[in-house]
Amino acid sequence: MRLCIVSETWAPDINGVAHTLNRLACELDRLDVQVDVVRPAPRSNKPRSTPGEELQVYRLPLPGYAEVQVGLATPGMLTRFWQTHPPDAVYLATQGPLGLAARRAARKLGIVCVAGWHTNFDHYCHDYGIGWLSAATLRYLRHFHNGCALTLVPTHAQASTLRGAGIRDVSVLSRGIDGEHFSPAHHDDALRDQWGVTEHQSVALYAGRLAAEKNLTLLVETFQAMREVRPDMAQVIVGDGPARAQLQKALPQAHFTGFLDQPSLARHYASADIFVFPSLSETWGNVITEAMASGLAVVAFDHAASAELIQHGHNGLSIAPDDPRGFHQAAAKLCQHPADYARLGRAARLSVLEHGWSGIAEQFKRYLHTAQEAHHALSPACRIRSS
């Protein structure tokens, strides 16, 4: 099989979508699926980690948030690329202008399209003060996804939500975790020394973009509540983004690392004790599984990966999404009880190791075959109408 992934982000970009797609591509290569890529021209000259053809399109960074970019291409450009390198299927990991152009080109060539739901764009409208656009955004997303043979989402709750919004042919494709890379074995005492803590002191860690959609006001409140009851604890914030300066002002005693490469990220997880993640904007949240695999006690809302993986009080703390006060109270209580967060962390690792990337890739390949069979069973006229 030959698959073309269309995405506005790819490794070495540091974000959940790029990480997911890169791991999926690596596993698909082992399953004899050639993966071609259409993406914006990268900021780095680092070569791709997987073989296959690549089309680089124009990159337009978002104003005020250069780490996030939009890809721009014409359907004609994509049509010519696929005429030269014809795929059996196209996976659309973006619903933006690049994804729409790709869908149109694939329709012209009769190539089946499978879409992924990687970002809650309708949710972001509220985070950035343009909630009035949310309904129009959802209408567009419904049009976009109903023009594809299949839409893959990471959780059953998300699948139910999209079906309720009128999006058809939705299936669940979870996310995997590399339990060797993210492991307590990477615990680093020298790193904890840099944070100024001994083995008997606790470390709370957050990892993710530092941007409005991550519910950072609650992160500040939570870290402050934890420090009130454990003045000797260290607090570490991994990541970067437009809200970093504001966060550094609000949390002057926290350690800010900026973006980290994968080995450094694994060491930071494994050297902490509690993972605090107040975001409600994720479709999945790879950082949840990374923290759990690293043996951390996770405090998160009952949402996305947390809703799928965490059994409250057994392998983490999962708080009702409408209870921000309960969130920071739970984190403050947990950090006072080392035996409890150690127990939760051990159980977290054991539970998440069942989710390997190889099984995810095999399921993804089965979805592609199913979509192909359904697509080819339609008459040409039906294909055009369904697009």
Side-chain angles (χ1 to χ4, degrees):
M1 175 178 281
R2 186 171 195 162
L3 170 72
C4 186
I5 296 178
V6 180
S7 175
E8 287 174 326
T9 183
W10 195 270
D13 294 352
I14 301 175
N15 59 65
V17 178
H19 173 73
T20 294
L21 296 177
N22 190 60
R23 286 309 309 263
L24 192 58
C26 290
E27 294 297 332
L28 288 170
D29 181 60
R30 297 189 182 99
L31 296 175
D32 295 323
V33 177
Q34 178 174 322
V35 178
D36 300 335
V37 174
V38 174
R39 60 161 173 169
R43 290 181 288 268
S44 166
N45 292 325
K46 183 177 179 181
R48 280 178 54 199
S49 59
T50 54
E53 300 296 332
E54 182 174 298
L55 173 66
Q56 296 182 2
V57 303
Y58 183 73
R59 175 172 61 89
L60 179 65
L62 291 185
Y65 199 168
E67 292 84 2
V68 178
Q69 60 194 7
V70 173
L72 299 176
T74 64
M77 182 188 304
L78 294 158
T79 298
R80 290 189 293 273
F81 178 67
W82 287 331
Q83 284 174 331
T84 305
H85 310 288
D88 297 297
V90 170
Y91 180 70
L92 304 176
T94 170
Q95 303 111 318
L98 178 58
L100 187 60
R103 202 194 68 167
R104 289 172 175 166
R107 177 182 64 183
K108 178 180 178 180
L109 296 172
I111 303 168
V112 63
C113 280
V114 173
W117 189 280
H118 292 272
T119 306
N120 288 323
F121 285 110
D122 51 331
H123 188 289
Y124 281 25
C125 291
H126 296 283
D127 293 321
Y128 285 91
I130 51 174
W132 53 273
L133 270 178
S134 180
T137 300
L138 184 56
R139 284 195 298 272
Y140 166 75
L141 292 172
R142 182 165 51 241
H143 164 76
F144 180 90
H145 285 274
N146 283 344
C148 298
L150 184 65
T151 291
L152 299 178
V153 300
T155 69
H156 292 86
Q158 184 79 73
S160 179
T161 298
L162 296 194
R163 292 180 189 124
I167 295 177
R168 304 184 298 267
D169 302 313
V170 179
S171 294
V172 176
L173 181 74
S174 188
R175 303 290 186 259
I177 186 66
D178 183 341
E180 293 184 6
H181 180 77
F182 293 104
S183 165
H186 301 298
H187 179 95
D188 188 339
D189 287 330
L191 186 57
R192 287 178 65 91
D193 287 342
Q194 293 178 24
W195 297 335
V197 294
T198 68
E199 61 178 321
H200 302 295
Q201 293 171 272
S202 61
V203 176
L205 183 141
Y206 165 88
R209 286 196 306 275
L210 306 185
E213 69 272 12
K214 298 299 182 179
N215 204 7
L216 297 178
T217 299
L218 183 56
L219 178 67
V220 171
E221 293 172 357
T222 303
F223 271 13
Q224 289 173 339
M226 296 173 82
R227 187 173 284 278
E228 285 179 7
V229 296
R230 285 295 303 267
D232 63 340
M233 81 177 307
Q235 296 172 337
V236 179
I237 296 177
V238 176
D240 213 332
R244 177 170 176 169
Q246 182 181 354
L247 268 182
Q248 287 179 310
K249 184 177 180 180
L251 298 169
Q253 294 174 305
H255 300 268
F256 287 78
T257 71
F259 289 125
L260 298 175
D261 59 27
Q262 288 292 302
S264 297
L265 178 60
R267 288 192 302 115
H268 278 67
Y269 278 126
S271 303
D273 302 290
I274 300 171
F275 184 69
V276 179
F277 194 66
S279 178
L280 283 164
S281 66
E282 271 64 33
T283 57
W284 177 252
N286 288 317
V287 291
I288 295 287
T289 53
E290 291 166 359
M292 293 176 73
S294 302
L296 274 67
V298 173
V299 183
F301 282 117
D302 187 21
H303 168 77
S306 174
E308 297 278 312
L309 301 174
I310 294 180
Q311 300 173 37
H312 182 76
H314 169 64
N315 62 349
L317 300 182
S318 186
I319 314 302
D322 60 353
D323 189 12
R325 181 177 176 83
F327 185 97
H328 66 68
Q329 287 179 335
K333 181 179 179 181
L334 180 63
C335 74
Q336 299 176 71
H337 300 282
D340 287 345
Y341 60 65
R343 172 182 58 83
L344 293 175
R346 289 192 296 270
R349 175 165 173 79
L350 289 175
S351 63
V352 82
L353 288 181
E354 303 171 3
H355 299 264
W357 276 110
S358 59
I360 303 297
E362 289 169 2
Q363 185 181 19
F364 181 73
K365 187 177 179 181
R366 289 194 295 271
Y367 278 138
L368 293 178
H369 280 302
T370 300
Q372 274 186 290
E373 291 170 359
H375 179 75
H376 292 308
L378 292 174
S379 68
C382 289
R383 289 181 209 159
I384 292 173
R385 284 198 300 271
S386 69
S387 299

